[in-house]
């Protein structure tokens, strides 16, 4: 064999081996392809079976052909095993679980089977947990019709609309379902919380005739079948009103407001529209879609029967395929729904009549103060706002709302119209709902009376209102206290705003969420007869307007609410020129015969009977009027009983409210500032009580500085003795026994007894006291002037005592001091001037009483400044006389009983009003 033949044989052998390998590979590939095809077919058939459902798959002819293939035996067996295992588990427990779910979320008549509940009258007022589901029938699984049926319930109020589709045979079942559903809702809630509107395009009198007894109580309105736009416009107007007047301040729905602040503020409106399977006209259809889209948030619920509507809003569906059966969106396509049997024809009108009669009886019943109070005290949260009923109208509670939408209230009514009674009803209703950690009261009464004094501890009744933090009574002459309270509220408002800024929020509700451990109660400030704040054209009125405007504009976001009450708001010129203030008082309450509380054209209060009020949450416009009957809240057994209950339940660490009584003389010994005094290097002489929120003491520091002397001005010995005595006693407490000298100078006979009593008390404190008469005065000032001259070039020794000189009626010895002996280098008045000028720097201070401004000026140098007496307190002195003592200021002070005007050029930019202390060891109760 030659080489060529050998090579050829090798090539052919290699090719044959290659062909064998390729054949073997193709065989394996074909086998794998066949396996993959079969597996893919099995997977697709299994997916088809499981998607279709095993029962439907077996009944499907096309799918059945595939399932009969022997290759699919495994798929069918596996699907049947899974279906049997899971369905058996569900059929054993599923119906019971669904029944338990409905029972839990559809309490009472909302989920009761049968008709035993028919005829009951609802008692729920909307404050509790509302049913999430409402029963409409039963259902069974199409895959196991032999299993027990389970209840079917749908979400409804505030949650979803309902669309029902029927056919001619099932229309009666659809109407019966609607009737049953409406009666469940009407029988669950207090009559008046649900209003029903019915429109039927095919019947003149409308469907659901069994509900007609509700019409006499206003709970059912049947609309003209030819005018569906009237119903749609009414619903649209209601939605607009709720959005503009209720859903403000970030709230998204009425249910959100009610859930955060108590009883529901707006009744539900259920509109039932019966169609003929055709749509409404285009513009009506668009309006219906808008109502459906926006209605749920405003308490508007649609039930549409055989009326096509497509909306971007939750919509449950019930579709009747048989006379009583069909499908429901709550059960899906795999269960057959059967509507509950229609309610007995005779009993339906009787049940509706009972509901209407209950509402009419409640309307006719006169409400009492007890009706305003909740069953459970202090159960509400004030985070979103304050809601409390103050009266009733047609048996329905009328709420006052203080929150972001209506931050402040204006109350008006002439004398005898019941203004005080209304305030008691309001405060009591709020106090019963919100704990002192949720709500605080700041109460001020400018009229001559003690209406609010009941809220503080008394001699006979030791109880007090736990919510009250500050109470001011008999302050008609102390407008400064009103300004002080407003300033306190403004400071608190700024404090809260700073806290909100730190937490990057803007209002109280958000702050409470971000700082749950902080104490952020809402604050309600009530000012009765607030027009007194603006009685004069002076600095007090200017400050009051400025503070009120600030709080009215910014207080709402920080949970600070103003309630201003007045007999006559028409005379408040300072307010009518400040629309920025009144625009914030969205809530208006007009009592009988009140004028200008509501808008000018709204005269609803003019003919109002006694014990009634117009409550308006829309700035006083007519469409916001709500007439309410206000119960008696001031008689024995009403507010006083509630206060005792709340006081007994108060926290042990809660302090009693601060009381400012304009007729009360504060006692020095009981003043906290006096009780806190102790020896110090910088003594502070207390002179009287400042008219402020804290009840602080006014005083001057008697330190080593020029001008640290005091002049008391006026003709009243009593008030002068009070100021000088308080100064002496307070200074005595700040020096160790024997470390201070007191020289008391009774310069008229009427002051002798007062000075001797003061001297006795100072000696009891261990101090050196000298009583110097008229004859001693010239020598006293000469000696002191000489000592001061010698001391100017020397530093006082460590043991040198402070010397206080108290002069009573210094002007009475003016002539004696001006006389100069031939041998004396200076007169007594010159020496006194030296002591006034140089004494304070060497711990010698003069505190004197001059009986007039001119008499004090005669004591001071005739030329030059008057600052040697750096502080003064004036009583029966006109303001223009005091201008000479405060250069550059115009003082508009008019004297009034038991009040002084105090100015210290070291600390004051303007004088302030003070109340002189009682320094008697026996407490005084009233001012003469």
């Amino acid at each position: 064999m030659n080489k060529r033949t050998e090579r050829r044989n090798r090539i052919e052998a290699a090719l044959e081996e290659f062909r064998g390998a390729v054949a073997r590979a193709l065989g394996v590939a074909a086998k794998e392809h066949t396996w993959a095809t079969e597996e893919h077919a099995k997977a697709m058939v299994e997916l088809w079976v499981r998607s279709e459902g095993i029962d439907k798959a077996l009944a499907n002819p096309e799918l059945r052909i595939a399932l009969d293939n022997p290759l699919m035996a495994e798929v069918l067996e596996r699907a049947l095993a899974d279906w049997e295992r899971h369905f058996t588990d569900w059929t054993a427990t599923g119906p019971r679980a669904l029944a338990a779910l409905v029972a839990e979320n559809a309490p009472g008549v909302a989920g009761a089977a049968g008709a035993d509940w028919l005829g009951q009258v609802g008692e729920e007022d909307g404050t509790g947990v509302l049913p999430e589901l409402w029963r409409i029938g039963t259902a069974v699984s199409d895959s196991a019709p032999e299993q027990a049926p389970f209840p079917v319930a749908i979400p409804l109020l505030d949650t979803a609309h309902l669309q029902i589709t029927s056919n001619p045979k099932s229309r009666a079942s659809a109407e019966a379902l609607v009737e049953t559903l409406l009666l469940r809702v009407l029988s669950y809630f207090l009559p008046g919380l649900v209003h029903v509107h019915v429109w039927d395009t095919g019947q003149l009198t409308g469907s659901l005739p069994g509900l007609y007894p509700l019409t006499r109580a206003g709970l059912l309105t049947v609309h003209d079948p030819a005018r569906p736009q009237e119903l749609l416009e009414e619903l649209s107007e209601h939605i607009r009103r709720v959005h503009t007047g209720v859903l403000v301040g970030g709230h998204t729905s009425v249910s959100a407001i009610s859930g955060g602040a108590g009883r529901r503020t707006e009744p539900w409106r259920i509109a039932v529209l019966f169609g003929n399977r055709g749509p409404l006209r285009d513009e009506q259809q668009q309006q219906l879609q808008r109502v459906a889209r926006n209605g749920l948030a405003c308490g508007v619920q649609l039930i549409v029967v055989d009326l096509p509507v497509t909306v971007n809003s939750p919509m449950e569906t019930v579709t009747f395929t048989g006379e009583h059966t069909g499908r429901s969106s709550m059960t899906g396509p795999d269960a057959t729904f059967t509507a509950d049997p229609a309610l007995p024809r005779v009993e339906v009108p009787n049940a509706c009549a009972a509901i209407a009669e209950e509402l009419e009886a409640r309307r006719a019943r006169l409400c009492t103060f007890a009706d305003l109070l909740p069953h459970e005290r202090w159960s509400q949260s004030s985070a979103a706002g304050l809601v409390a009923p103050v009266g009733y109208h047609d048996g329905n509670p009328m709420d006052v709302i203080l929150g972001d939408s209506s931050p402040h209230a204006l109350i008006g009514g002439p004398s005898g119209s019941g203004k005080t009674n209304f305030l008691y009803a309001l405060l009591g209703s709020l106090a019963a709902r919100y704990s002192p950690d949720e709500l605080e009261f700041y109460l001020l009464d400018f009229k001559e009376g003690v209406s609010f004094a009941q809220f503080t501890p008394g001699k006979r009744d030791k109880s007090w209102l736990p919510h009250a933090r500050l109470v001011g009574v008999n302050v008609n002459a102390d407008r400064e206290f009103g300004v002080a309270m407003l300033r306190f509220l403004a400071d608190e408002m700024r404090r809260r705003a700073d806290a909100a800024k730190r937490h990057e929020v803007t209002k109280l509700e958000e702050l409470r969420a971000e700082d749950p451990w902080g104490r952020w109660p809402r604050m309600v400030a009530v000012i009765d007869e607030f027009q007194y704040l603006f009685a004069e054209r002076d600095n007090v009125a200017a400050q009051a307007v400025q503070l009120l405007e600030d709080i009215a504009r910014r207080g709402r976001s920080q949970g600070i609410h103003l309630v201003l009450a007045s007999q006559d708001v028409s005379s408040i010129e300072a307010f009518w020129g400040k629309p920025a203030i009144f625009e914030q008082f969205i809530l208006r309450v007009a009592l009988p015969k009140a004028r200008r509380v509501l808008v000018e054209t709204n005269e609803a209060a003019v003919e109002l009977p006694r014990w009634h009020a117009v409550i308006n949450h829309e700035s006083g416009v007519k469409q916001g009027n709500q007439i309410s009957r206000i119960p008696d809240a001031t008689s024995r057994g009403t507010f006083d009983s509630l206060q005792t209950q709340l006081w007994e339940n108060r926290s042990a660490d809660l302090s009693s409210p601060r009381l400012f009584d304009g007729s009360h003389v504060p006692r020095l010994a009981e003043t906290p500032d006096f009780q806190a005094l102790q020896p110090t290097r910088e003594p502070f002489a207390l002179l009287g009580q400042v008219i402020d929120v804290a009840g602080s003491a006014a005083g001057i520091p008697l330190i080593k500085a020029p001008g640290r002397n005091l002049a008391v001005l006026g003709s009243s010995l009593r008030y002068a003795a009070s100021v000088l005595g308080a100064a002496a006693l307070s200074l005595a407490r700040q020096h160790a026994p024997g470390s201070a000298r007191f020289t008391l100078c009774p310069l008229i006979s009427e002051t002798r007894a007062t000075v001797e009593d003061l001297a006795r008390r100072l000696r009891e404190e261990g101090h050196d006291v000298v009583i110097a008469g008229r004859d001693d005065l010239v020598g006293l000032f000469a000696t002191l002037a000489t000592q001061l001259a010698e001391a100017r070039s020397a530093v006082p020794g460590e043991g040198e005592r402070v010397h206080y000189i108290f002069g009573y009626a210094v002007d009475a010895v003016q002539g004696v001091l001006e006389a100069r002996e031939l041998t004396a280098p200076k007169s007594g008045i010159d020496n006194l001037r030296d002591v006034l000028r140089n004494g304070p720097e060497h711990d010698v201070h003069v505190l004197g009483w001059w009986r007039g401004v001119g008499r004090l000026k005669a004591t001071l140098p005739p030329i030059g400044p008057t600052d040697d007496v750096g502080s003064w307190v004036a009583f029966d002195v006109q303001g223009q006389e005091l201008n000479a003592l405060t250069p550059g200021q115009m003082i508009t002070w008019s004297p009034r009983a038991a009040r002084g005007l105090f100015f210290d050029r070291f600390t004051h930019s303007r004088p302030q009003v003070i109340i002189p202390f009682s320094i008697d060891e026996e407490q005084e109760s009233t001012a003469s």
Side-chain angles (χ1 to χ4, degrees):
M1 181 180 295
N2 57 25
K3 293 181 179 180
R4 178 180 296 178
T5 301
E6 183 179 357
R7 185 167 61 251
R8 179 184 179 87
N9 290 337
R10 286 200 305 270
I11 292 171
E12 289 178 349
L15 288 174
E16 185 64 28
E17 184 179 355
F18 171 73
R19 283 193 292 268
V22 170
R24 289 193 300 273
L26 289 175
V28 171
K31 184 177 179 181
E32 290 294 326
H33 178 267
T34 301
W35 178 86
T37 302
E38 291 177 354
E39 290 301 314
H40 179 264
K42 291 179 182 179
M44 294 302 297
V45 170
E46 185 170 0
L47 177 62
W48 193 357
V49 168
R50 294 184 182 277
S51 300
E52 187 80 6
I54 188 66
D55 52 340
K56 293 183 179 179
L58 293 174
N60 188 326
E62 295 180 2
L63 188 53
R64 187 69 204 189
I65 293 174
L67 291 174
D68 288 340
N69 189 319
L71 292 175
M72 302 301 165
E74 181 184 355
V75 171
L76 182 58
E77 182 179 354
R78 186 164 59 247
L80 284 171
D82 290 345
W83 179 83
E84 181 68 25
R85 182 173 66 256
H86 293 301
F87 185 74
T88 300
D89 291 343
W90 187 88
T91 54
T93 61
R96 290 197 301 272
L98 287 174
L101 179 66
V102 171
E104 179 182 356
N105 294 280
V109 301
D116 292 342
W117 53 269
L118 189 61
Q120 296 181 15
V121 178
E123 297 180 353
E124 295 293 331
D125 62 359
T127 59
V129 178
L130 305 183
E132 295 186 22
L133 298 173
W134 299 83
R135 179 186 172 103
I136 58 173
T138 57
V140 295
S141 170
D142 293 345
S143 301
E146 73 282 357
Q147 296 295 329
F150 53 87
V152 177
I154 60 169
L156 198 63
L157 302 180
D158 301 326
T159 306
H161 302 295
L162 176 61
Q163 184 176 35
I164 302 175
T165 304
S166 69
N167 52 52
K169 290 184 178 180
S170 59
R171 179 62 179 252
S173 295
E175 293 181 2
L177 186 151
V178 172
E179 182 179 75
T180 302
L181 189 57
L182 291 175
L183 275 171
R184 287 186 187 275
V185 175
L186 289 165
S187 301
Y188 185 86
F189 294 105
L190 278 175
L193 279 184
V194 179
H195 294 182
V196 178
H197 296 259
V198 175
W199 174 82
D200 190 336
T201 188
Q203 297 189 44
L204 182 61
T205 58
S207 300
L208 312 178
L211 303 184
Y212 284 5
L214 297 171
T215 57
R216 72 169 185 259
L219 297 178
L220 173 67
T221 304
V222 179
H223 294 266
D224 189 338
R227 297 187 179 91
Q229 69 275 9
E230 292 183 357
L231 169 61
L232 297 175
E233 288 173 0
E234 182 176 342
L235 297 176
S236 299
E237 178 60 32
H238 174 73
I239 292 172
R240 279 193 294 270
R241 184 184 68 79
V242 172
H243 270 289
T244 58
V246 179
L247 300 184
V248 293
H251 296 293
T252 58
S253 67
V254 174
S255 62
I257 297 177
S258 304
R263 192 181 62 82
R264 189 177 180 89
T265 58
E266 290 288 332
W268 286 280
R269 283 166 170 78
I270 302 179
V272 184
L273 294 88
F274 290 95
N276 56 6
R277 300 176 188 84
L280 299 173
R281 293 201 300 269
D282 287 346
E283 65 274 11
Q284 295 171 353
Q285 191 75 5
Q286 292 173 4
Q287 191 169 12
L288 176 62
Q289 291 172 339
R290 287 194 295 270
V291 170
R293 187 166 54 251
N294 301 298
L296 291 176
C298 302
V300 174
Q301 170 79 53
L302 293 180
I303 299 178
V304 294
V305 181
D306 295 333
L307 185 65
V309 59
T310 303
V311 295
N312 185 19
S313 182
M315 177 80 80
E316 298 297 333
T317 61
V318 173
T319 302
F320 283 92
T321 55
E323 184 175 357
H324 305 291
T325 59
R327 304 290 182 186
S328 166
S329 56
M330 289 297 289
T331 56
D334 298 319
T336 298
F337 157 75
T338 302
D340 282 336
L343 297 173
R345 291 292 89 198
V346 176
E347 296 183 23
V348 169
N350 294 337
C352 292
I355 295 173
E357 289 170 2
E358 174 63 21
L359 179 56
E360 290 176 339
R362 290 177 57 231
R363 288 171 174 171
R365 182 176 65 86
L366 296 179
C367 68
T368 65
F369 180 75
D371 294 326
L372 303 181
L373 308 181
H375 298 300
E376 184 179 353
R377 303 290 188 260
W378 296 350
S379 58
Q380 303 296 335
S381 168
S382 66
L386 303 169
V387 180
V390 293
Y392 280 74
H393 175 67
D394 286 346
N396 296 315
M398 289 290 102
D399 288 331
V400 162
I401 304 172
L402 292 173
D404 293 340
S405 60
S406 52
H408 312 297
L410 181 64
I411 303 170
S415 179
S417 62
K419 179 162 54 65
T420 299
N421 183 74
F422 179 87
L423 290 174
Y424 269 55
L426 171 62
L427 296 176
S429 188
L430 287 169
R433 281 166 173 76
Y434 303 96
S435 73
D437 288 329
E438 297 286 337
L439 173 64
E440 291 182 347
F441 292 146
Y442 295 80
L443 310 168
L444 191 59
D445 187 357
F446 272 104
K447 65 177 180 292
E448 294 184 10
V450 290
S451 298
F452 295 155
Q454 175 180 327
F455 306 145
T456 64
K459 292 182 178 179
R460 290 185 297 177
D461 183 3
K462 300 301 182 183
S463 71
W464 39 271
L465 187 62
H467 305 73
R469 297 293 84 212
L470 178 69
V471 178
V473 298
N474 292 315
V475 293
N476 52 303
D478 290 311
R479 297 182 300 131
E480 294 84 2
F481 187 74
V483 172
M485 188 178 82
L486 293 175
R487 185 174 290 110
F488 169 81
L489 295 175
D491 291 342
E492 175 64 17
M493 179 179 67
R494 284 186 283 273
R495 185 183 76 87
R496 294 183 175 203
D498 291 342
K501 188 180 299 183
R502 290 195 301 272
H503 289 279
E504 298 182 344
V505 296
T506 59
K507 58 183 181 179
L508 183 70
E509 184 176 6
E510 298 168 346
L511 176 60
R512 289 181 56 160
E514 291 295 322
D515 183 19
W517 302 111
R519 189 177 184 277
W520 306 107
R522 288 193 179 264
M523 304 169 69
V524 175
V526 181
I527 307 179
D528 195 7
E529 301 302 337
F530 71 100
Q531 74 275 6
Y532 276 92
L533 279 170
F534 318 105
E536 305 288 342
R537 293 179 178 271
D538 57 7
N539 185 59
V540 174
Q543 291 182 68
V545 170
Q546 181 180 3
L547 289 166
L548 270 173
E549 185 171 2
D550 188 25
I551 297 170
R553 284 189 300 105
R554 300 194 296 148
R556 71 165 72 199
S557 59
Q558 307 306 332
I560 299 176
H561 308 283
L562 298 172
V563 177
L564 305 184
S566 174
Q567 292 185 13
D568 179 18
V569 296
S570 62
S571 63
I572 308 172
E573 298 177 3
F575 255 19
W576 292 124
K578 294 284 186 179
I581 298 180
F582 262 84
E583 288 173 0
Q584 304 299 325
F585 286 78
I586 308 299
L587 172 58
R588 308 287 179 87
V589 178
L591 297 161
K593 307 298 185 294
R595 296 183 181 277
R596 298 195 73 179
V597 179
L598 309 174
V599 297
E600 292 284 353
T601 57
N602 188 354
E603 298 184 352
V606 175
E607 301 299 327
L608 205 63
R610 193 165 181 263
W611 298 103
H612 286 73
V614 178
I615 299 175
N616 189 302
H617 286 86
E618 299 186 28
S619 299
V621 297
K622 285 184 177 180
Q623 56 265 35
N625 288 349
Q626 293 179 303
I627 309 298
S628 176
R629 191 184 192 284
I630 312 302
D632 180 7
T634 57
S635 296
R636 184 179 296 276
T638 56
F639 192 100
D640 55 343
S641 295
L642 172 65
Q643 176 170 300
T644 301
Q645 296 172 15
L646 301 181
W647 178 71
E648 291 173 347
N649 292 330
R650 75 192 187 284
S651 173
D653 58 355
L654 186 64
S655 61
S656 62
R658 151 96 168 112
L659 172 64
F660 177 85
D661 186 347
S663 66
H664 176 73
V665 177
R667 190 166 182 243
L668 177 67
E670 297 176 350
T671 303
D673 287 341
F674 179 78
Q675 294 172 347
L677 294 177
Q678 56 186 353
T680 178
R681 291 180 177 271
E682 297 183 351
F684 192 85
L686 304 185
L687 309 177
Q689 179 179 291
V690 180
I691 300 180
D692 66 359
V693 169
S696 308
I700 58 171
L702 292 183
I703 58 178
K704 294 183 178 182
R708 291 296 78 200
N709 301 302
L710 171 72
V712 182
L713 305 171
S715 62
S716 172
L717 167 61
R718 177 183 181 182
Y719 298 141
S722 171
V723 172
L724 295 178
L729 293 171
S730 58
L731 289 170
R733 290 176 68 94
Q734 298 173 75
H735 294 283
S739 63
R741 289 186 297 167
F742 291 85
T743 298
L744 309 182
C745 306
L747 303 177
I748 57 176
S749 59
E750 294 86 348
T751 63
R752 189 73 189 185
T754 300
V755 167
E756 289 178 349
D757 181 68
L758 179 59
R760 174 186 59 80
R761 296 172 67 177
L762 293 173
R763 291 184 181 116
E764 290 175 354
E765 296 286 337
H767 295 295
D768 182 14
V769 181
V770 174
I771 298 180
R774 296 167 60 100
D775 298 336
D776 305 319
L777 208 57
V778 174
L780 171 66
F781 288 130
T783 301
L784 289 173
T786 301
Q787 292 174 350
L788 291 172
E790 295 173 352
R792 288 177 196 170
S793 59
V795 178
E798 285 292 330
E800 202 168 321
R801 291 188 296 175
V802 179
H803 190 179
Y804 299 110
I805 304 167
F806 287 81
Y808 288 76
V810 178
D811 56 285
V813 294
Q814 184 75 19
V816 176
L817 294 174
E818 288 178 347
R820 178 184 298 179
E821 297 181 7
L822 295 177
T823 58
K826 292 183 179 181
S827 67
I829 197 68
D830 293 330
N831 290 326
L832 172 56
R833 289 168 181 168
D834 283 346
V835 172
L836 289 174
R837 182 178 302 110
N838 303 311
E841 295 180 86
H842 298 275
D843 276 336
V844 177
H845 305 275
V846 176
L847 298 89
W849 167 38
W850 282 264
R851 291 173 292 181
V853 175
R855 296 179 179 231
L856 171 63
K857 292 178 65 178
T859 302
L860 299 174
I863 300 175
T866 60
D867 57 2
D868 287 342
V869 178
S871 304
W872 49 260
V873 178
F875 288 99
D876 51 351
V877 178
Q878 295 295 331
Q880 60 267 28
E881 298 181 58
L882 298 169
N883 289 331
L885 303 178
T886 54
Q889 290 200 35
M890 182 64 67
I891 299 177
T892 57
W893 163 256
S894 295
R896 58 184 193 256
R899 298 295 182 269
L901 193 65
F902 168 47
F903 181 74
D904 182 357
R905 66 181 181 86
F906 272 32
T907 58
H908 292 160
S909 60
R910 297 187 62 86
Q912 65 179 167
V913 179
I914 66 170
I915 306 172
F917 288 121
S918 168
I919 61 172
D920 295 342
E921 293 171 297
E922 295 287 334
Q923 182 177 4
E924 292 184 26
S925 60
T926 58
S928 61

